Amino acid sequence: MRSHSETLRHADLPEGSSVVVVSYWTGPILFEAMDSVLAPDQKGVIELILVDNGNPPEISGELARRAQEEPRLTLINGHGNVGFARGCNIGARRAGGRYLLLLNPDCRLSPGAIPALLAEAQTLGEDWMLGCRVLNPDGSDQRASRRALLTPYTALVETFRLDRLAPGLLRRYRLNHHDSPLPAETSSVPVISGACMMLPAATFHAAGGMDEGYFLHVDDLDLCFRLHRAGIPVWFTPHVEAVHHAGSSRINPVQVEWHKMRGFLRYFRLHFNKLRWLPLLVPLVVGILARFGIKSAQSLLLIAWNRRPITNDARD
């Protein structure tokens, strides 16, 4: 997967992590995430690269001020809202650390999280990706924290909760494993949350980075699938935590659902395009389209009734 020259470049990179955060109208929680990265106990942080896809003037002004005062903070802006996946790639190309930590702008790391992840990294070999325990603000495990690979089987079972009809037979096909017992030690899992993902920079670039065909959502599922296909292990450690405040960006929820629908359709078109998958894909596509219609109608009604602000959904 990696040429000899690429391996040498990996070895020549400084030990430590470049943290890449992509922000779009995130709100004040962004500064909590940044502070959690640049805290004194986060040893091993070489730099924090903030890719500003667009923020209110007061947020952008504060980011500019912080970039002048904090030498480890690099601010990239002026490119507009290019999407989350492309924003990650923009930040990763500027990164100078041996490792990359892709962190959501509303994800607050626990004290000492980065040195703990870097310590785990020393035990994992050359190519890998590592995630941590991602929590909701109430302390419960977030749904995307540990997952199976997204396949037509797991998508259908999870969407319609078919495992409830035949638990012994279909539970192994569930997509989300957040309600399963937490492993005692760092363990191999198929998929981790895109809210907090660490991997060697060389591995990220050799894999082609994030697929920029995904504008928002599903990009993390796609990256995990591509790594799995390349034989690169994905790991989950229960010893490191991050709190993900999902729903912080002020984005029209219908747009969010649109991008999520397009992401799922793209994923299955790319990875499960053989004729043998057709009997499963037909009801799955119908379900994806129906979900978009129902979620969009609900969002429009709630907005019309002023029952909630326009916010982004959780990354699931």
Side-chain angles (χ1 to χ4, degrees), residues 31 34 45 52 87 113 129 169 228 237 241 261 267 272 274 285 300:
F31 300 117
M34 294 171 61
V45 176
D52 185 357
M129 186 159 69
L169 179 64
H228 169 79
T237 177
E241 296 180 352
M261 176 192 70
Y267 179 94
F272 297 92
K274 304 298 183 184
V285 169
L300 289 172

Side-chain angles (χ1 to χ4, degrees), residues 119-168:
E120 291 280 355
Q122 304 309 309
T123 70
L124 299 180
E126 186 175 6
D127 287 305
W128 46 268
M129 186 159 69
L130 174 64
C132 67
R133 189 179 183 190
V134 179
L135 304 175
N136 294 307
D138 64 4
S140 61
D141 284 271
Q142 203 157 91
R143 185 169 51 178
S145 188
R146 292 172 286 146
R147 284 180 157 176
L149 287 174
L150 179 62
T151 69
Y153 291 117
T154 56
L156 285 170
V157 169
E158 191 70 34
T159 299
F160 299 106
R161 289 308 309 271
L162 299 178
D163 57 297
R164 293 173 177 172
L165 301 177

Side-chain angles (χ1 to χ4, degrees), residues 189-295:
V189 297
V191 176
I192 56 173
S193 172
C196 182
M197 302 190 302
M198 177 178 279
L199 72 170
T203 302
F204 181 82
H205 294 301
M210 302 289 271
D211 184 340
E212 296 181 9
Y214 299 96
F215 191 85
L216 181 68
H217 294 289
V218 193
D219 42 53
D220 53 344
L221 291 162
D222 177 87
L223 179 59
C224 289
F225 187 89
R226 286 186 285 123
L227 292 178
H228 169 79
R229 191 170 54 194
I232 296 174
V234 176
W235 299 93
F236 168 85
T237 177
H239 306 308
V240 180
E241 296 180 352
V243 178
H244 185 206
H245 294 261
S248 63
S249 296
R250 294 189 61 82
I251 306 173
N252 189 308
V254 177
Q255 290 180 312
V256 173
E257 292 300 334
W258 170 257
H259 290 303
K260 190 179 295 187
M261 176 192 70
R262 291 183 68 249
F264 281 123
L265 293 176
R266 175 181 177 81
Y267 179 94
F268 288 113
R269 185 176 72 251
L270 289 176
H271 301 306
F272 297 92
N273 53 14
K274 304 298 183 184
L275 189 60
R276 65 189 178 90
W277 291 109
L278 189 60
L280 291 175
L281 289 177
V282 170
L284 187 56
V285 169
V286 171
I288 291 171
L289 295 175
R291 181 189 181 279
F292 169 70
I294 293 170
K295 289 283 190 178

